Amino acid sequence: MKRNEFLTHWRRERHEWLAFAAFVFPNLVLFGVFTYWPVLNTAWMSMRSGGAGAYGTRFALFENYWRLFADPVFWRVILNTLVFAAAVIVIAQCVAFGVALLLNRRLCGRVLFRTLAFLPYVTTPAAAALVWVVLLDPQYGPLGAVYRAFGLEAVNLLERSGLALGALILVGAWKEIGIASLFFLAGFQNLPEECYEAANLEGASAWARLRHITVPLMSPVLFFLAVSGFIAAAKAFDIVVMMTEGGPVYPASSTFVYHLYRVAFQDYDFGYASAFAMVFFVLFMALTVLKLRMGAKWVHYDG
Amino acid sequence: MDRGGLREKTFLAAVALHLVAALVVGLMALPFFWALNTALKSDGEVLRHPAAWWPGEVTLAGFSEALQAAPFGRFYVNSVITALAATALQMGFALLMAYAFAAIRFPGKGVLLFLVLVTMLIPDELRLLPNYRIMARLNWLDTYWALIIPPAAHAFPVFVMVQQFRMIPKDLLDAAHVDGAGHFRRLVRVAIPLSKPTIAAATLIAFLGRWNDFLWPLVVIDRLSMRTLPIGLAYLQDVAEGMVRWNVLMAGSLIAVAPLLIAYMFAQRYFVAGLWRGALKG
């Protein structure tokens, strides 16, 4: 009976089904080979014994994970990544919020700003990082003159262990500010006029309007953008390679992905690196699910 | 307060606002300005301390050297070929798949679409090691194949195009069907022409991702002559830094970014539409 039903369906629908299969075939094969299988493979390999020289040969269950959790460099790299991503988001969002408040007024040059705001986002990160290396160098960049004007010692942030991560944060924030401010600007246009009219009638000050109307109404957008930006920033890799290579003394400014790259392709410790990648995956998934749930609730896709 | 005073106050406020806005814009544009400033300086002037805000004598020597520094032209060719090919495949496969999900009957296709879209939750870093080993097994390390084939399937353009194709009125597709057009003709003659702006946006975002990609090429490409621009810049940095040829490096960076900036200027609308969705995707 079931079989018969299938056959009648097949006779009637086979042109549709075959067309569907043919249309999705190229992508499905590529997803299978380069996405689904690698994910399973990484999970499996993370449970093979570690050690330099590609993959270990024996099954070791959680050995790599215990090694990872006992490794002070691992914790340092996690801390660096969290500090980096959090600082980038806080700085970029605060500045962007201010910029968006400014732009929300009638300001000439708004079109110019819109054009410029996306530029850091479009620019090749490797090239931008190289330019920042020059900018931060007190000899070849403009900072030398600034240091002298304030009577400070001319330091290169990238060569100080305590400051190198700060320099990376600066570059990360530079990239995010423009696009974040445009998001806020779009958010402002959706705020209900009535609230402001009512507040004006009651004689609320500009500060009170900002604190009690704009910020609360914008907080879902702020929160959503913060999580999105955090996820993107936590994957920082290009700028680390180009600007510090995790230095000046490793792992002073190393991030998660850069450390993964080093463990895998400089130490060739693939089993260990796979465990590392799995930890990254779990954290990434948790954040992404959080973001999607917030996005479904609060963000209207009308860009 | 009389009206004149008020007007004066708002005028001053407007001036202050513009100053603050100009400062922020200036800081955002500073790297672009400084790259150009340094690239146009001569070898001797680059070394001068403190660095000048304007080249004393404008010279294009940095640019010609960056282009002649043997491999740089080659990096360019590699980037153009692999980015264009990977983008074309990514969009071609995504259009086929998205059309299938939006307009062809198939049992259980909702589950299949879910399986495709969840790949957006998987960070590239997780797939890095196995994919590297696949490339090694296929002898694709140091070839264009490694840069073109693995990135050829991406869920993001599928996601965008499924949404777009679902908005096409069914009557239009059915009318083409009645005229005897098969699914492929319906896709090419009806669905694609009606979706040009969305396709343009998705294509630019795909191209941007390929052109700027750093981690994957760094892993699968080792030979100098096969490097793309981003990892070519990393190489140029290693070689040139010891010699402090910052004018050459800055010229190289500008040359690497130029096609993106030009494309952005001419197709800003589509870039913005795509980036908007892309940034929401995270």
Side-chain angles (χ1 to χ4, degrees):
Chain A
M1 180 67 200
K2 203 104 212 217
R3 211 184 115 91
N4 260 338
E5 230 170 78
F6 179 80
L7 276 178
T8 31
H9 266 289
W10 165 254
R11 271 190 215 105
R12 204 177 53 227
E13 292 279 278
R14 68 181 165 209
H15 291 296
E16 287 282 299
W17 292 4
L18 288 175
F20 184 90
F23 275 44
V24 299
F25 180 75
N27 255 3
L28 275 194
V29 169
L30 289 170
F31 279 129
V33 176
F34 297 116
T35 301
Y36 301 129
W37 187 79
V39 169
L40 298 176
N41 189 248
T42 300
W44 169 240
M45 285 303 170
S46 75
M47 290 186 267
R48 309 283 288 181
S49 61
Y55 287 106
T57 44
R58 92 198 134 75
F59 184 71
L61 197 60
F62 294 133
E63 195 181 283
N64 286 318
Y65 291 92
W66 302 142
R67 216 179 116 204
L68 200 60
F69 297 142
D71 184 355
V73 176
F74 166 77
W75 292 108
R76 179 61 199 267
V77 164
I78 292 221
L79 182 70
N80 279 352
T81 308
L82 295 180
V83 168
F84 172 82
V88 164
I89 293 318
V90 169
I91 295 173
Q93 301 238 336
C94 287
V95 177
F97 200 80
V99 171
L101 279 175
L102 285 178
L103 288 175
N104 205 27
R105 319 276 187 107
R106 268 189 221 99
L107 211 60
C108 27
R110 222 160 103 161
V111 179
L112 177 71
F113 180 81
R114 276 175 182 282
T115 305
L116 281 173
F118 275 108
L119 274 188
Y121 212 76
V122 175
T123 305
T124 309
L130 206 48
V131 177
W132 275 98
V133 170
V134 184
L135 277 176
L136 293 172
D137 190 307
Q139 188 171 352
Y140 307 111
L143 274 181
V146 177
Y147 287 134
R148 199 157 331 105
F150 288 97
L152 294 169
E153 183 200 355
V155 290
N156 189 338
L157 298 180
L158 297 174
E159 286 163 7
R160 294 292 171 92
S161 265
L163 300 174
L165 193 64
L168 295 182
I169 290 169
L170 184 67
V171 181
W174 168 75
K175 193 181 154 120
E176 289 288 321
I177 286 172
I179 193 160
S181 55
L182 290 187
F183 269 112
F184 290 144
L185 202 56
F188 288 154
Q189 329 262 268
N190 292 332
L191 295 179
E193 284 285 324
E194 310 90 70
C195 293
Y196 288 94
E197 281 161 16
N200 279 336
L201 283 178
E202 307 220 337
S205 69
W207 172 247
R209 286 197 306 262
L210 179 66
R211 220 193 92 104
H212 296 291
I213 303 177
T214 310
V215 172
L217 283 175
M218 288 290 288
S219 62
V221 180
L222 273 163
F223 207 54
F224 176 80
L225 286 180
V227 178
S228 308
F230 190 92
I231 293 170
K235 295 171 94 178
F237 176 72
D238 315 23
I239 61 171
V240 184
V241 174
M242 298 300 283
M243 295 182 70
T244 68
E245 294 189 313
V249 182
Y250 200 83
S253 65
S254 184
T255 59
F256 218 113
V257 180
Y258 184 69
H259 190 63
L260 171 69
Y261 171 77
R262 244 172 108 110
V263 171
F265 295 102
Q266 284 179 16
D267 307 344
Y268 286 101
D269 194 346
F270 276 25
Y272 192 45
S274 297
F276 201 81
M278 288 304 291
V279 173
F280 184 70
F281 177 51
V282 170
L283 295 175
F284 182 87
M285 274 293 248
L287 280 171
T288 308
V289 169
L290 177 71
K291 183 189 93 171
L292 289 179
R293 292 185 61 167
M294 291 192 310
K297 252 191 219 160
W298 290 318
V299 176
H300 308 284
Y301 290 86
D302 50 9
Chain B
M1 197 185 284
D2 66 300
R3 291 193 51 164
L6 192 67
R7 202 171 289 157
E8 197 169 281
K9 204 175 149 201
T10 43
F11 174 74
L12 283 176
V15 170
L17 272 179
H18 280 86
L19 278 178
V20 175
L23 185 71
V24 175
V25 170
L27 282 176
M28 273 173 45
L30 179 66
F32 297 98
F33 168 75
W34 201 263
L36 195 62
N37 175 29
T38 309
L40 292 174
K41 286 176 180 171
S42 64
D43 282 356
E45 210 194 342
V46 167
L47 294 174
R48 209 162 298 153
H49 184 67
W53 281 85
W54 204 254
E57 171 204 0
V58 173
T59 167
L60 291 175
F63 284 93
S64 65
E65 185 135 354
L67 283 174
Q68 280 164 15
F72 207 84
R74 186 65 210 242
F75 300 159
Y76 225 92
V77 174
N78 294 339
S79 265
V80 170
I81 290 175
T82 58
L84 284 179
T87 306
L89 287 180
Q90 213 181 86
M91 287 311 296
F93 294 160
L95 287 171
L96 284 174
M97 187 178 236
Y99 177 86
F101 279 126
I104 308 182
R105 285 192 301 278
F106 191 79
K109 70 178 180 181
V111 180
L112 210 52
L113 179 61
F114 175 78
L115 282 178
V116 169
L117 295 186
V118 284
T119 64
M120 284 200 284
L121 302 185
I122 298 165
D124 289 344
E125 293 75 12
L126 188 67
R127 306 176 300 171
L128 191 65
L129 302 176
N131 279 341
Y132 168 78
R133 283 172 71 230
I134 294 173
M135 294 298 107
R137 183 82 52 91
L138 291 171
N139 267 327
W140 279 4
L141 294 177
D142 280 327
T143 65
Y144 284 156
W145 299 117
L147 297 175
I148 295 172
I149 302 301
H154 202 295
F156 183 59
V158 177
F159 169 66
V160 173
M161 292 319 300
V162 167
Q163 287 184 324
Q164 164 65 30
F165 285 159
R166 276 181 182 160
M167 292 193 306
I168 292 175
K170 230 177 161 346
D171 303 352
L172 289 174
L173 292 172
D174 289 343
H177 189 196
V178 170
D179 289 344
H183 277 301
F184 190 73
R185 273 176 71 118
R186 275 177 259 171
L187 169 64
V188 174
R189 294 277 164 82
V190 183
I192 289 178
L194 286 171
S195 310
K196 277 182 187 156
T198 311
I199 293 173
T203 306
L204 283 171
I205 298 312
F207 183 78
L208 191 65
R210 293 298 90 222
W211 187 268
N212 287 346
D213 194 17
F214 193 81
L215 179 57
W216 180 243
L218 193 63
V219 166
V220 294
I221 300 295
D222 187 48
R223 249 176 48 212
L224 190 57
S225 63
M226 292 306 294
R227 283 180 177 241
T228 56
L229 279 166
I231 59 169
L233 280 176
Y235 166 81
L236 210 63
Q237 183 190 22
D238 285 343
V239 176
E241 203 167 25
M243 303 181 289
V244 240
R245 307 294 300 282
W246 284 115
N247 51 346
V248 178
L249 276 174
M250 290 302 97
S253 303
L254 286 170
I255 293 170
V257 173
L260 289 183
L261 297 189
I262 292 167
Y264 174 68
M265 290 304 165
F266 281 102
Q268 201 187 337
R269 192 158 63 94
Y270 301 120
F271 259 106
V272 170
L275 284 170
W276 214 243
R277 286 206 178 97
L280 285 174
K281 186 205 68 163

